[in-house]
Amino acid sequence: MVTLKINNVPVTVEEGTTILNAAAKAGVSIPTLCFLKDLNEIGACRVCVVEIKGKEKLVTACNNVVKEGMEILTNSPKVRNTRKINVELILSQHDCMCATCVRSGNCSLQTLANDLGIYDIPYERDVVDTPWNQEFPLIRDSKKCIKCMRCVQICDKVQKLHIWDVQNTGARTTVDVAGNVSIEDSDCSLCGQCITHCPVGALKERNDVPKIYDVLADPNKVTVVQVAPAVRTAWAEAFNLPPELATEGRMVAALK
């Protein structure tokens, strides 16, 4: 076991525990953007930086382990200032049209910027827009990508499809379809895991709701609904219904 202090509070955790997990055990929340447990612990976003007493440089909490006698500060002036600068730099390469974003109100970057009191971006804006087939069921908006690599890791390590990869280097680094092919020519199975794990609105599904409304309003068409298994388990979330009430019968009644 390792004993340390986090924000002056003694904490005892198992050896090999990351600073992020040790802080969570102590009830201290450290913000993250790119972190996915056991999948993406690369410190790419630099948002989870913390200060260790006696060390000049800040360290990322997601991929650094605790050591005996450590004294960690998660919200010191140095940490707050650095964290704010890092998020401002991310925003300088991000399309901040939040009101028309599919993730508005449910966006990790938006929440973090609000928590840090960011109301202006002091750096030059450099937002890259690359073309994408808007008719494909999976839509990627390069203007919103924050290069967190979550989509790469979830596709490589869980789905085993290797659709996404890192392109270019330095300030031009981005994520795109691997193998220099279009998304239509890739092996994408449209599982939606990259959309689910994207912390912003860079990945989304094509919106067919307007087409559905047009069909429902057409008196000359008979509408037939085919429901995927995932819908049967997730549809009630929008209505805050507990699982025991999310029955197939209620779903059919709602569709009618």
Side-chain angles (χ1 to χ4, degrees):
M1 301 297 285
V2 175
T3 300
L4 65 151
K5 286 185 177 181
I6 299 178
N7 297 339
N8 297 317
V9 176
V11 182
T12 300
V13 295
E14 293 183 359
E15 188 175 353
T17 302
T18 63
I19 296 174
L20 187 67
N21 289 335
K25 183 176 181 181
V28 177
S29 177
I30 298 176
T32 64
L33 279 176
C34 66
F35 174 77
L36 279 178
K37 184 174 174 57
D38 299 327
L39 292 177
N40 201 41
E41 301 177 3
I42 58 176
C45 66
R46 318 305 292 180
V47 167
C48 67
V49 291
V50 296
E51 182 177 357
I52 300 176
K53 287 187 178 181
K55 290 194 175 184
E56 181 180 352
K57 294 183 178 180
L58 303 181
V59 300
T60 48
C62 68
N63 58 358
N64 281 281
V65 299
V66 297
K67 294 181 180 179
E68 183 67 33
M70 261 187 180
E71 293 188 40
I72 299 170
L73 299 175
T74 68
N75 197 35
S76 67
K78 186 176 182 179
V79 168
R80 289 197 305 272
N81 183 59
T82 301
R83 191 173 287 156
K84 184 176 182 180
I85 290 173
N86 289 342
V87 175
E88 287 172 341
L89 287 170
I90 293 172
L91 290 170
S92 71
Q93 295 184 324
H94 182 75
D95 175 9
C96 297
M97 297 292 289
C98 297
T100 56
C101 178
V102 68
R103 291 296 295 272
S104 181
N106 184 30
C107 171
S108 299
L109 180 60
Q110 187 182 53
T111 300
L112 185 57
N114 287 334
D115 291 345
L116 292 171
I118 298 176
Y119 305 112
D120 190 21
I121 303 172
Y123 304 104
E124 181 180 350
R125 301 296 302 278
D126 184 16
V127 181
V128 177
D129 187 10
T130 56
W132 190 271
N133 180 8
Q134 299 298 309
E135 293 301 315
F136 193 74
L138 168 63
I139 295 177
R140 179 178 183 271
D141 188 347
S142 62
K143 302 188 302 299
K144 294 185 181 296
C145 179
I146 61 172
K147 294 88 174 173
C148 68
M149 313 304 172
R150 279 188 172 195
C151 57
V152 177
Q153 303 285 26
I154 198 72
C155 193
D156 285 0
K157 296 178 180 178
V158 177
Q159 301 304 104
K160 309 294 185 181
L161 290 175
H162 311 286
I163 301 302
W164 305 105
D165 201 359
V166 179
Q167 307 283 346
N168 303 322
T169 59
R172 296 171 59 246
T173 300
T174 188
V175 175
D176 209 339
V177 182
N180 198 30
V181 299
S182 66
I183 188 65
E184 297 92 337
D185 295 328
S186 71
D187 294 327
C188 179
S189 66
L190 298 174
C191 68
Q193 288 299 310
C194 58
I195 297 175
T196 299
H197 290 84
C198 179
V200 291
L203 292 167
K204 63 182 180 180
E205 64 273 16
R206 185 187 66 209
N207 182 18
D208 287 340
V209 173
K211 296 178 182 179
I212 295 172
Y213 283 149
D214 290 342
V215 171
L216 293 174
D218 190 340
N220 297 317
K221 290 184 178 180
V222 176
T223 306
V224 178
V225 178
Q226 181 178 2
V227 180
V231 176
R232 294 202 298 268
T233 61
W235 71 275
E237 291 181 4
F239 302 99
N240 295 318
L241 286 176
E244 60 271 16
L245 293 182
T247 62
E248 292 183 24
R250 285 189 174 88
M251 182 181 64
V252 171
L255 285 170
K256 289 181 177 180

